[in-house]
Amino acid sequence: MKTLLVPIALHDALPSVLETTRLVAQRFGSLIEGVSLRPALAEYVPVDLVGGMTWLRDEEADRAEAEEAGGRFVAFMDAAGIPRHARDGLCVPENVAGAGARYRWRQDVPAGDAFLGQYARLFSATVVGRPGAADGTPRMTTLETALFEGGRPILVAPPTPPTRFGDAIVVAWNGSTETARAVAFAMPLLRAASRVLVLSVEGGTVPGPSAEDLARSLACEGVAAEHRALPAGRRTPGETFLAEAKAFGSDLLIKGAYTQSRLRQMIFGGPTSHLLAHADLPMLMAH
């Protein structure tokens, strides 16, 4: 977790995104790179099945928003006592091991989400805010772009800034390829945790290894993990994961994203959709 990408958009969850990033960076001595994330200058907005409208943003407004995003990012990092990275664009290998958290701001990033999906491929993780339906909340398109096109994990910050990160971790295990990838990406976090719980819920799994199997595998990686397989109950798997994480005192949830298709989850619901709508703790996700 030595490099963290933070797309800065002017939404209400930005303080939580920045604080989540700070907690991770100080634990691992990460380089934090901020970029401005704005809507594209011309964006087609569907209105109904046969029509739509093109929403235009002028370049001056776009430039002002990028400058404000950069100002908020730099102001937070300076207030947190995180130093600016001394060498723009360069990390010297022999200096990385002992380096503490530091930051840099990348200028001249194009508007729109396309750049983010490509650039995220260079970083240990991309930190985004948990999306919401209300005005002023992070956009789902930002999360999905980083998740599906970045090829790396995302860290989803909750709406309220967390006070701790990565001490007590719950793995929401469902036996899937997606969650296996999330666990692999999360190994630095799992090794640094004080407590780890691998949790599965009957009815919320696919054919694959059990929670006990994963706990045994983690033991070979030096991670002492508890495991628990819960029977199906009145709660959905997503509700159960959040309730059990709260009971465990978890400050990080690890989950594969969209084992079921996004379309199916939009129609019928699913654990990923529930977590993205209700989680009040940081989550590491991968697809």
Side-chain angles (χ1 to χ4, degrees), residues 135-237:
D135 292 341
T137 56
R139 294 184 297 141
M140 179 64 81
T141 54
T142 299
L143 181 148
E144 291 186 340
T145 297
L147 178 68
F148 289 104
E149 299 180 24
R152 300 291 187 98
I154 60 172
L155 275 170
V156 184
T160 301
T163 57
R164 56 192 180 91
F165 178 92
D167 292 324
I169 298 177
V170 169
V171 179
W173 179 249
N174 63 359
S176 70
T177 302
E178 291 80 9
T179 305
R181 292 194 74 227
V183 170
F185 283 130
M187 286 308 302
L189 295 163
L190 291 166
R191 291 192 179 104
S194 300
R195 298 184 298 136
V196 177
L197 170 63
V198 181
L199 182 67
S200 65
V201 181
E202 184 181 0
T205 61
V206 299
S210 67
E212 183 178 3
D213 291 334
L214 178 61
R216 288 176 177 173
S217 175
L218 290 174
C220 296
E221 298 279 357
V223 177
E226 304 173 41
H227 61 86
R228 194 179 308 156
L230 298 180
R234 294 183 178 181
R235 296 180 301 194
T236 66

Side-chain angles (χ1 to χ4, degrees), residues 73-284:
F73 174 80
V74 171
F76 177 91
M77 295 298 159
D78 289 346
I82 298 176
R84 187 183 290 266
H85 186 55
R87 304 184 58 163
D88 290 340
L90 293 176
C91 288
V92 181
E94 57 268 26
N95 294 339
V96 167
R102 58 223 186 276
Y103 79 89
R104 65 186 176 198
W105 176 255
R106 174 163 177 168
Q107 299 279 7
D108 302 323
V109 171
D113 291 318
F115 170 82
L116 173 65
Q118 299 169 18
Y119 198 49
R121 299 166 194 167
L122 301 176
F123 292 82
S124 303
T126 298
V127 188
V128 299
R130 202 195 81 193
D135 292 341
T137 56
R139 294 184 297 141
M140 179 64 81
T141 54
T142 299
L143 181 148
E144 291 186 340
T145 297
L147 178 68
F148 289 104
E149 299 180 24
R152 300 291 187 98
I154 60 172
L155 275 170
V156 184
T160 301
T163 57
R164 56 192 180 91
F165 178 92
D167 292 324
I169 298 177
V170 169
V171 179
W173 179 249
N174 63 359
S176 70
T177 302
E178 291 80 9
T179 305
R181 292 194 74 227
V183 170
F185 283 130
M187 286 308 302
L189 295 163
L190 291 166
R191 291 192 179 104
S194 300
R195 298 184 298 136
V196 177
L197 170 63
V198 181
L199 182 67
S200 65
V201 181
E202 184 181 0
T205 61
V206 299
S210 67
E212 183 178 3
D213 291 334
L214 178 61
R216 288 176 177 173
S217 175
L218 290 174
C220 296
E221 298 279 357
V223 177
E226 304 173 41
H227 61 86
R228 194 179 308 156
L230 298 180
R234 294 183 178 181
R235 296 180 301 194
T236 66
E239 290 171 336
T240 301
F241 286 137
L242 289 182
E244 294 295 323
K246 183 176 182 179
F248 189 68
S250 176
D251 52 21
L252 175 64
L253 185 70
I254 295 171
K255 173 78 169 67
Y258 296 115
T259 299
Q260 300 173 341
S261 72
R262 280 180 290 173
L263 178 60
R264 179 181 175 85
Q265 294 220 20
M266 286 173 60
I267 297 172
F268 300 106
T272 302
S273 294
H274 184 85
L275 294 175
L276 289 177
H278 299 287
D280 58 0
L281 77 167
M283 298 185 292
L284 184 140

